[in-house]
Amino acid sequence: MSTSRSVTPSRRGILAAGGALGIGALLAACGGDKSAGGANSGAGTGPWSFTDDRKQTVTLKNTPQRIVAFTGTAAALHDFGIDDRIVGVFGPTKLKNGKPDPQAGDLDVDKVTVIGNAYNQFNVEKYAALRPDLLVTNMYEPGALWFVPDDSKDKITKLAKSVALTSSRVPLIKIIERYAELAGSLGADLKAKKVTDAKARFEKASAALRKAAKAHPVKVLACSGSPDLFYASNPGINADLMYYKSLGVDLIVPDHLDKGGYFESLSWENADKYQADVLLLDNRTATLQPKDLAAKPSWAKLPAVKAGQITPWSSEPRFSYAGAAPLIESLAKAIESAKKTK
């Protein structure tokens, strides 16, 4: 996992002083009739309640009809069948060329309002204008709402109730099950063919990874590259790595973790500290990829690089069966074809 989860970028206000529409007015507006023009306004009537991973119980008079969520969270809910009620997203949604960011999954990014495409770009005025019933996001650190800026958190959480689901320190499968539980509470049909087919694919992929790991006991290092540092990631805290390890993948555990516990940062001179047969390389757009790393002599000398045994790692997985299955299949294939480098 890369630095974005553990190193907090500089915080800055996202509302200019004297904006055209004050928060007070927006709060008042949000107290009005949210059902007018709402998505699926006739569905899911009746009281709604859900206890999130902060152990906070959110109770509403009706099932939420206007949901705003972190992009990856929205994509996971979409995989479970929650679609038209997602009216807004925040987080990596569109690439510079206008195409969907990988974290958006199968979400139709042109049908939702993007209230911030990057960290600390959460537009509170735009959020309030959506008249949200519920905000949903991940939680990598206890109590911290992922991609909700600290300096505007109080304003944001006054506009609608929030639900946070943990995204680390427990295995991937447990988080997916929690997402299914939330989607079910929102009215998703968890027995729909789309969902059951995705679950079957996930289970088949998991069995294939277990088989591959047993037949090919190669050492795997999950890692991320930046211009100055090489990050060795911790399978004891990253949800996907925890799950892969439980299936028998021999993931290297760094012995000198940085604060937060997600990884150990190494200078490029020390990038060979851990001798891996396979590198699971962070493939997010903000991280360096093999073509970018080729000029670094220490990278070229790594045994896995010499052997061409590098496979992409989606270090912020989509917490659904549909989102996770291809990642597990990819790793299984990489391990099946890998050989020990010593």
Side-chain angles (χ1 to χ4, degrees):
M1 133 150 211
S2 74
T3 55
S4 64
R5 289 181 193 161
S6 295
V7 178
T8 305
S10 58
R11 307 292 191 179
R12 55 186 172 81
I14 61 174
L15 287 178
L21 188 57
I23 284 295
L26 290 170
L27 282 166
C30 284
D33 181 10
K34 294 181 182 179
S35 65
N40 284 356
S41 57
T45 56
W48 179 83
S49 180
F50 186 83
T51 301
D52 73 0
D53 291 338
R54 296 171 296 181
K55 306 302 180 187
Q56 294 183 11
T57 300
V58 178
T59 302
L60 296 171
K61 292 181 179 178
N62 296 289
T63 303
Q65 301 299 314
R66 301 184 63 81
I67 300 168
V68 175
F70 171 67
T71 303
T73 301
L77 290 174
H78 170 84
D79 289 340
F80 283 112
I82 301 300
D83 189 3
D84 291 342
R85 279 179 280 162
I86 298 171
V87 296
V89 295
F90 54 94
T93 308
K94 292 184 178 181
L95 301 174
K96 290 180 180 179
N97 60 10
K99 292 183 178 179
D101 187 279
Q103 289 200 57
D106 295 327
L107 193 68
D108 187 342
V109 298
D110 294 321
K111 285 178 60 178
V112 294
T113 298
V114 181
I115 60 176
N117 199 56
Y119 187 81
N120 225 20
Q121 288 184 0
F122 195 114
N123 188 315
V124 184
E125 292 183 357
K126 192 178 284 189
Y127 174 61
L130 287 173
R131 307 187 316 281
D133 295 318
L134 185 70
L135 180 146
V136 188
T137 190
N138 295 337
M139 187 170 63
Y140 284 98
E141 295 298 327
L145 301 180
W146 188 234
F147 267 69
V148 174
D150 287 343
D151 57 8
S152 51
K153 179 182 175 182
D154 290 346
K155 296 172 182 176
I156 292 166
T157 53
K158 285 179 182 176
L159 292 166
K161 296 289 184 68
S162 63
V163 161
L165 295 182
T166 191
S167 304
S168 64
R169 297 179 176 83
V170 294
L172 175 70
I173 183 64
K174 296 297 183 184
I175 300 175
I176 292 175
E177 288 169 355
R178 282 291 279 156
Y179 266 88
E181 186 180 347
L182 173 60
S185 80
L186 292 168
D189 179 6
L190 300 181
K191 294 183 179 179
K193 189 174 187 301
K194 170 185 172 181
V195 179
T196 57
D197 283 356
K199 186 175 181 181
R201 181 181 174 185
F202 175 90
E203 291 171 346
K204 183 179 179 181
S206 297
L209 180 55
R210 187 187 294 278
K211 182 179 178 181
K214 186 175 182 180
H216 304 271
V218 291
K219 287 191 173 294
V220 180
L221 177 66
C223 56
S224 185
S226 74
D228 300 320
L229 295 170
F230 180 69
Y231 300 95
S233 293
N234 178 17
I237 193 169
N238 290 276
D240 54 344
L241 303 183
M242 290 178 74
Y243 184 61
Y244 302 158
K245 198 167 180 66
S246 76
L247 295 174
V249 177
D250 187 3
L251 279 153
I252 292 171
V253 181
D255 59 23
H256 192 69
L257 296 170
D258 293 12
K259 184 180 179 181
Y262 283 102
F263 51 77
E264 177 179 354
S265 10
L266 300 164
S267 65
W268 276 106
E269 290 75 16
N270 295 315
D272 62 351
K273 178 177 178 179
Y274 302 106
Q275 296 295 306
D277 302 309
V278 176
L279 293 181
L280 191 55
L281 183 67
D282 191 342
N283 67 351
R284 289 176 298 170
T285 52
T287 64
L288 298 185
Q289 299 309 301
K291 61 181 175 59
D292 308 310
L293 295 166
K296 292 187 176 294
S298 52
W299 168 261
K301 291 178 182 177
L302 294 176
V305 176
K306 286 182 179 180
Q309 295 179 168
I310 306 166
T311 191
W313 175 35
S314 298
S315 63
E316 288 185 37
R318 196 161 89 241
F319 296 115
S320 67
Y321 298 114
L327 309 182
I328 300 171
E329 291 167 349
S330 175
L331 181 57
K333 187 176 180 180
I335 290 176
E336 283 169 0
S337 61
K339 293 183 175 66
K340 282 189 171 293
T341 55
K342 286 187 179 180

